[in-house]
Amino acid sequence: QVQLVESGGGLVQPGGSLRLSCAASGSIFSIRAMGWYRQAPGKQRELVATGTSGRNPTYADSVKGRFTLSRDVAKNMVYLQMNSLKPEDTAVYYCNAQMKKYYSSTYYDDYWGQGTQVTVSS
């Protein structure tokens, strides 16, 4: 079964840094895109950063200049380096991937990790 597993969340003081990791595993033919979303209590889930094959990463305006997305295609992994963290970055961060199990599949399916908590507080 295809799955995504996140790690790297935790508690950090404002101005600090964290690095999130996400690993895709299982039967995978190809991955078109991998990225990160987040959801704070009482708010909608929002895009943080995504990396689509053949294109530069896309970032939410609120994290531009502070967060950096990177991918290790060979390892089916995606990372999110988060610097200059702010209290408003506090949320559950979810890994997302558009993956195809078979060459003959018509569509890329959307997969989600279980989420990792990031708390920015002094």
Side-chain angles (χ1 to χ4, degrees):
Q1 188 70 31
V2 176
Q3 63 177 1
L4 299 172
V5 179
E6 305 101 330
S7 63
L11 175 65
V12 65
Q13 294 184 344
S17 299
L18 285 173
R19 183 175 176 86
L20 305 183
S21 300
C22 174
S25 63
S27 181
I28 303 169
F29 175 76
S30 66
I31 301 175
R32 182 171 68 180
M34 295 188 76
W36 296 89
Y37 291 72
R38 68 185 182 187
Q39 187 168 22
K43 294 186 177 181
Q44 295 182 337
R45 185 173 298 186
E46 64 176 354
L47 170 71
V48 178
T50 59
T52 302
S53 297
R55 302 189 66 181
N56 292 325
T58 299
Y59 299 93
D61 288 340
S62 60
V63 307
K64 286 182 179 178
R66 300 188 298 119
F67 292 8
T68 302
L69 180 79
S70 61
R71 291 179 62 185
D72 187 332
V73 177
K75 295 182 178 180
N76 290 334
M77 296 190 70
V78 65
Y79 307 91
L80 185 68
Q81 178 66 45
M82 305 186 295
N83 298 326
S84 302
L85 284 162
K86 305 175 181 179
E88 48 264 45
D89 294 318
T90 297
V92 177
Y93 284 70
Y94 296 92
C95 181
N96 170 263
Q98 296 175 5
M99 298 189 286
K100 195 174 183 179
K101 295 184 66 176
Y102 312 103
Y103 169 80
S104 58
S105 296
T106 302
Y107 307 104
Y108 285 86
D109 294 319
D110 207 44
Y111 294 85
W112 294 91
Q114 294 182 356
T116 184
Q117 177 71 48
V118 172
T119 302
V120 185
S121 176
S122 59

